[in-house]
Amino acid sequence: MSSSHLSARFLRSAAVTALISAAMFVSPLTTARADDATHTSRHHAAEMKAETVEQRIDNLHSALQITPNEETNWSGVAQTMRDNAAKMEKLSAEKTDTAPGSMTALDDLKTYEKFAHAHFDGLKNLLSSFETLYTTMPDAQKKVADRVFQSFGRERAPSHA
């Protein structure tokens, strides 16, 4: 496999993860430091949480054009999304329960590590469930899925003009 193919595959995997489980990708440091965040950071975090996991599931179900025959495999993807979001919410709640200013730099890094592990584990689970769905899709629908993931985030990217 060529380096460019692996790079493209990695980028696509990252896009899949971002699209399917956006709740997992609220920056760990943003979440972990909510008590120290500026108004702008709080506003950004609130915007990211505005879409619930159920809304993301519904939106992705529609965008991928999931058919009745694919519902069984889709339910595995949807449940993985719910599980991943629940794990991240639990970590966020644990961090929120920590008294502001009581964490050392090491504690902060350990918190970041917990979020990173949760992201990684969530990605592995998501990849497994999504692969089961994707491999059973007809080629035309795979192309739809590819476009959905390749275009994710481009419409929301800030302008540098």
Side-chain angles (χ1 to χ4, degrees):
M1 204 174 283
S2 73
S3 174
S4 64
H5 186 334
L6 286 175
S7 178
R9 193 170 182 182
F10 172 78
L11 291 173
R12 184 171 292 137
S13 294
V16 167
T17 302
L19 179 62
I20 295 177
S21 211
M24 288 178 45
F25 286 93
V26 172
S27 168
L29 289 177
T30 299
T31 303
R33 295 185 182 150
D35 49 23
D36 298 329
T38 64
H39 173 72
T40 303
S41 295
R42 285 185 188 127
H43 179 70
H44 179 68
E47 284 178 357
M48 290 189 72
K49 288 186 176 186
E51 182 183 43
T52 68
V53 69
E54 292 304 321
Q55 289 169 322
R56 285 189 298 278
I57 290 168
D58 290 344
N59 291 340
L60 190 59
H61 184 279
S62 176
L64 294 177
Q65 302 171 7
I66 301 300
T67 66
N69 291 340
E70 296 165 336
E71 286 297 332
T72 300
N73 289 334
W74 169 254
S75 67
V77 172
Q79 188 58 50
T80 300
M81 292 171 65
R82 289 181 191 103
D83 293 346
N84 289 346
K87 287 175 187 168
M88 294 307 289
E89 286 296 321
K90 182 180 178 198
L91 285 174
S92 293
E94 289 172 5
K95 173 57 185 151
T96 302
D97 290 343
T98 303
S102 67
M103 289 182 65
T104 66
L106 287 176
D107 294 334
D108 194 48
L109 287 171
K110 288 176 183 178
T111 298
Y112 187 87
E113 179 184 38
K114 287 180 185 178
F115 277 90
H117 280 286
H119 288 180
F120 179 74
D121 292 342
L123 177 57
K124 285 190 329 187
N125 295 336
L126 186 60
L127 179 59
S128 176
S129 62
F130 189 77
E131 186 171 32
T132 299
L133 171 67
Y134 186 84
T135 58
T136 62
M137 290 176 166
D139 289 342
Q141 191 178 14
K142 285 179 183 177
K143 289 179 182 179
V144 169
D146 294 345
R147 281 193 305 274
V148 167
F149 291 115
Q150 290 169 357
S151 65
F152 176 73
R154 290 188 182 150
E155 67 281 353
R156 291 187 235 169
S159 173
H160 295 289

